[in-house]
Amino acid sequence: MTLPETGWSRDQIFATLIELKTNDLATEGGAAFAYVYDAGEREAAAVAADAYRLFLAANGLDPTAFPSLLRLENEIVGIAAAHLGGGPETAGSFTSGGTESLILAVKTARDWARVHRPEVTAPELVLPVTAHASLHKAAHYLGLKVVTTAIDPQTFKADVAAIEAAITPNTVLIAASAVSYAHGVVDPITEIGALAKARGILLHVDACIGGFLLPYFRRLGAPVPAFDLSVPGVTSISMDLHKYGYTPKGASLILYRDKQLRRHQLYACADWSGYTVVNATVQSTKSGGPIAAAWAQLHALGDAGYLELARRTLEATRKIVAGVAALPGIRVLGTPEMSLVAFTAEGGGAAVLAIADAMKTRGWLVQPQLQGRGSPTNLHLTISAGHLAVVDRFLADLRAAVEEVRTQPADPGLTMLLEMAGTMDFTALSDESFAQALALVGVRDGQLPARMAGINALLDALPPAAREAALITFVNDLYTAHGSQAAPSASK
Ligand SMILES: *Cc1c(COP(=O)(O)O)cnc(C)c1O
C-alpha cells in the first residue's frame, strides 16, 4: 500500500470507509454485549459527536494555549468527584481510557513510595485474581511485582484475609474492583480500605466500569455497597466515561484523595533542547475531541437523563439475569451487582464457547471468558440501556442457541486436538508449528474462522503463559503493512 498519487474525492473516501465498516460489529441496535455501550439516545450522541469535531484539532498538551480544554477537564473532574464521594481536596485527570487511568494510578503509587517509603526498592502491587488485566499491564510497564490473591469461589469477591496475607514490606499499592469486569461484583472495599489504612498502603479502586453507574443503581434502590472516595483508606479511584457515561471512546478519569498524592502522577522534562514538557497524563499531544465530547454528552443527558438510562439498564439486567438463570443447564456466576453478567453451561468449556458461535449466527455478540483463577469457562454480557428494547428477542435466541449446542454432538477432531493441547508446550513452539496448530482450528493466513469455538477451546485448554504466547504470535501476524485479508480492499 502506498499513498494515492493524487487526493481522492470525498465520495470515494466515504464509499470506501462505509464499505469497510460493513463487516464490523454494529454499534447501535443492541447486538453487542461487549465493547459497545449504547444508550439508544441518538440526539445526545449527535451532540457529543459535533463537540468532538469542534475540538479535534485542539491540543491539551498546553493548557495555556487552550484554556477551554483546561476548563472542560476541570469541570468534568469536578462532576466525577461529586459523583464518587470526593471532597474539596479531590484532584484528578482526564485520560484516554481505563488502561491509562490504571497505569497512572500504579505510577503514582510507585513514585509516592519512592519519596515516602524510600526503603522499598522492589515495589509490589497486591491484586485479587479478578482485578482487570490492565493492572497487570501497568505493573508490567512500570516494573512492579504483582502478587495475586484468592477470591471467594461463590461470590467472586476479593478475600480480605488473602489480601492481608499477601502484604509484605514491599507492598506499595492494593487494588480492588467496583465492579469487577468478569463477574460484575463489588469487592469488600470498606474492609480493604481499613486494612490499607492500618498498614499505610495506598488503595486504588478500579471503578472503570462501575463508577458511573453504581451511584445511579443505588438511587434506584439496588443494594450497592460503599466503594468510592468516601470510604476511609481509598486513595484513588478510576472511572471510564466511555463506558456507562456513554461518551465517545477515549474518555476516562483518575481521581486522587488530594493534590499531594496526584503530584506523583505528573512528569516534567527540561533536559532536552526543545520546548519544556510537563504532562499530567501519559499522552503529551492530547486531542481536545474526547474531552469536549465527554463534556457535551454529560451536559446533553444531565443527571435526570443518566438516571433514566440507569433505570432502563437495571430493568434490562434483571430481565436478562432471570431469563438466563431459567435456561436448562445454565448457571449465573455469583450475584451480579450491576449490569455485567457471567454465565456458564453444563458440558465443559467447548460447549460453553459453542454457545457464543450459535449466538453470533443469530446476530449477537456475547463475550467468551476462558477458565482460570477460580472461574470456569463462561460467557460475559455487558448490558446497557439500549438493550432494554431487545431483551425478549435476545433471550429467545439464547434459549435456541443453548438448545442447539446441547443437542449437537461434540466435534471429534476438536476433542482430540484439545487433548493434545493439554500436553503441548506452546511457549516453545516454532512459528511454523504454531501456524499448523492454528490451521487445525480454522485460522489461516491471519484470517479468523466464522466459528470461533475451536480456537477459543484450544486457548481455554492451555495454561495462561501458553495462551499469552499464542495470542502474541497471532496478533503479531495479524497487523501487517502488506494489507489485511480480513477486510475488503480499499484500493479500487
Ligand atoms: C474496561 C475496564 C478497564 C480497562 O479500560 P479500557 O478503557 O478498556 O482501557 C479496566 N478496569 C475495568 C474494571 C474495566 O471494566
Side-chain angles (χ1 to χ4, degrees):
M1 170 70 51
T2 53
L3 268 180
E5 210 152 296
T6 56
W8 289 9
S9 69
R10 186 188 163 85
D11 284 353
Q12 191 178 3
I13 287 168
F14 278 91
T16 306
L17 290 176
I18 289 164
E19 188 195 341
L20 285 170
K21 262 173 87 84
T22 52
N23 293 325
D24 287 358
L25 174 66
T27 54
E28 293 174 4
F33 281 86
Y35 309 128
V36 170
Y37 299 78
D38 180 19
E41 294 289 336
R42 298 294 157 243
E43 246 170 73
V47 170
D50 287 349
Y52 198 110
R53 277 175 61 103
L54 189 63
F55 276 83
L56 54 74
N59 193 344
L61 168 63
D62 184 350
T64 65
F66 296 95
S68 59
L69 293 179
L70 175 64
R71 169 82 181 263
L72 294 175
E73 175 161 346
N74 281 339
E75 289 193 11
I76 294 171
V77 168
I79 290 168
H83 196 60
L84 293 176
E89 298 287 292
T90 305
S93 300
F94 187 95
T95 73
S96 63
T99 301
E100 186 182 353
S101 293
L102 292 168
I103 288 172
L104 290 171
V106 172
K107 180 218 182 286
T108 300
R110 185 196 67 180
D111 291 359
W112 175 87
R114 282 179 181 168
V115 173
H116 296 281
R117 295 176 54 197
E119 70 283 4
V120 177
T121 53
E124 295 176 8
L125 164 60
V126 172
L127 290 183
V129 293
T130 45
H132 196 277
S134 50
L135 282 156
H136 291 260
K137 179 175 171 180
H140 175 77
Y141 278 18
L142 294 163
L144 277 78
K145 178 182 168 192
V146 170
V147 180
T148 54
T149 61
I151 48 162
D152 180 304
Q154 254 72 53
T155 63
F156 296 93
K157 294 186 181 216
D159 177 338
V160 184
I163 293 176
E164 181 158 26
I167 294 173
T168 76
N170 290 326
T171 308
V172 297
L173 180 68
I174 301 169
S177 308
V179 296
S180 61
Y181 182 87
H183 308 97
V185 298
V186 182
D187 284 333
I189 304 297
T190 302
E191 290 80 354
I192 301 170
L195 173 64
K197 198 167 183 202
R199 298 297 194 89
I201 297 166
L202 301 175
L203 170 60
H204 179 80
V205 174
D206 178 2
C208 279
I209 200 159
F212 203 89
L213 197 51
L214 283 173
Y216 285 111
F217 268 37
R218 186 183 286 142
R219 278 163 65 183
L220 292 165
V224 172
F227 72 94
D228 62 17
L229 285 168
S230 64
V231 177
V234 172
T235 52
S236 58
I237 189 165
S238 48
M239 172 170 84
D240 293 348
L241 295 173
H242 64 202
K243 286 175 180 162
Y244 286 100
Y246 297 110
T247 73
K249 299 224 187 310
S252 174
L253 294 156
I254 169 81
L255 304 181
Y256 297 94
R257 91 185 149 196
D258 57 38
K259 252 165 62 177
Q260 284 64 44
L261 182 55
R262 199 262 306 268
R263 208 188 151 76
H264 299 283
Q265 176 185 291
L266 274 53
Y267 174 77
C269 179
D271 197 16
W272 71 308
S273 51
Y275 58 90
T276 305
V277 165
V278 53
N279 294 150
T281 60
V282 175
Q283 288 182 299
S284 198
T285 286
K286 187 172 178 176
S287 170
I291 300 177
W295 186 93
Q297 182 81 81
L298 292 168
H299 285 78
L301 289 168
D303 188 55
Y306 280 112
L307 186 63
E308 170 57 19
L309 291 177
R311 193 196 61 71
R312 287 181 213 161
T313 308
L314 183 58
E315 188 184 337
T317 304
R318 285 182 173 156
K319 286 185 168 162
I320 288 174
V321 170
V324 168
L327 294 175
I330 299 291
R331 181 167 60 89
V332 173
L333 300 180
T335 306
E337 288 178 287
M338 201 178 75
S339 53
L340 311 181
V341 180
F343 63 95
T344 187
E346 284 168 2
V352 175
L353 296 164
I355 297 171
D357 282 342
M359 285 302 277
K360 193 170 175 206
T361 59
R362 290 167 171 82
W364 306 96
L365 180 122
V366 302
Q367 190 175 41
Q369 296 188 135
L370 305 184
Q371 62 178 321
R373 311 314 304 257
S375 185
T377 314
N378 67 83
L379 299 175
H380 169 105
L381 306 173
T382 292
I383 299 160
S384 48
H387 285 127
L388 183 59
V390 300
V391 165
D392 293 338
R393 200 153 49 79
F394 173 77
L395 286 173
D397 281 347
L398 184 60
R399 174 173 291 276
V402 167
E403 200 46 40
E404 180 186 307
V405 171
R406 270 161 63 88
T407 50
Q408 108 198 336
D411 173 350
L414 182 60
T415 310
M416 221 176 73
L417 182 69
L418 295 181
E419 277 164 16
M420 258 168 55
T423 66
M424 279 183 329
D425 180 5
F426 268 68
T427 53
L429 274 192
S430 69
D431 282 1
E432 206 176 305
S433 327
F434 179 70
Q436 283 167 359
L438 282 182
L440 289 172
V441 286
V443 183
R444 277 179 203 88
D445 305 324
Q447 284 218 62
L448 292 175
R451 291 190 167 269
M452 289 291 289
I455 183 163
N456 280 332
L458 177 62
L459 291 170
D460 198 46
L462 298 174
R467 266 181 214 164
E468 289 162 3
L471 289 168
I472 284 174
T473 303
F474 172 68
V475 171
N476 198 29
D477 286 342
L478 188 63
Y479 287 94
T480 152
H482 309 296
S484 160
Q485 299 83 349
S489 165
S491 58
K492 51 175 178 239

